[in-house]
Amino acid sequence: QVQLVESGGGLVQPGGSLRLSCAASGSIFSIYTMGWYRQAPGKQRELVASITVGGSTNYADSVKGRFTISRDNANHTVSLQMNSLKSDDTAAYYCNTISQRWRWGQGTQVTVSS
């Protein structure tokens, strides 16, 4: 079973930036399309960005132009650069495959507030 460990969250003012990282145990990471998800209180978990093995990316409309997903297959990591953060981006952020194949990690909390 692959383990996922997210990090990099925190408290940031509106308009600020954060970079999230997700480390996956095991080289099998390299064959899957990966995604970053978020879940705000009282809301369902949603996919905000995904990246294929070859590096093709896709974004939810709500984050397009502000977030950038990347991956390092050699080191089994996937990152999310978040710029121009808004209060609506406040949520717990998680990574997983597009099919949510693996057990969820603990997530990393992002709070955007002045």
Side-chain angles (χ1 to χ4, degrees):
Q1 176 68 271
V2 172
Q3 291 186 323
L4 301 167
V5 179
E6 300 91 351
S7 62
L11 173 64
V12 63
Q13 292 186 343
S17 298
L18 281 174
R19 185 175 180 85
L20 307 184
S21 293
C22 169
S25 63
S27 60
I28 197 171
F29 162 92
S30 302
I31 68 172
Y32 289 102
T33 295
M34 294 296 297
W36 276 98
Y37 299 77
R38 69 184 181 188
Q39 187 169 21
K43 295 187 177 181
Q44 288 190 334
R45 191 170 293 173
E46 63 171 342
L47 177 67
V48 297
S50 63
I51 185 166
T52 66
V53 171
S56 296
T57 58
N58 198 25
Y59 299 93
D61 288 343
S62 58
V63 307
K64 200 170 293 183
R66 300 188 298 121
F67 290 11
T68 302
I69 188 171
S70 59
R71 68 188 294 163
D72 182 343
N73 290 330
N75 291 306
H76 313 155
T77 59
V78 58
S79 299
L80 187 69
Q81 178 67 41
M82 306 186 297
N83 299 327
S84 302
L85 283 162
K86 307 174 182 179
S87 58
D88 287 348
D89 297 318
T90 295
Y93 284 73
Y94 305 84
C95 67
N96 210 324
T97 69
I98 285 300
S99 61
Q100 302 176 23
R101 184 180 186 88
W102 299 321
R103 185 178 302 166
W104 295 98
Q106 83 287 351
T108 187
Q109 179 67 37
V110 172
T111 302
V112 184
S113 175
S114 55

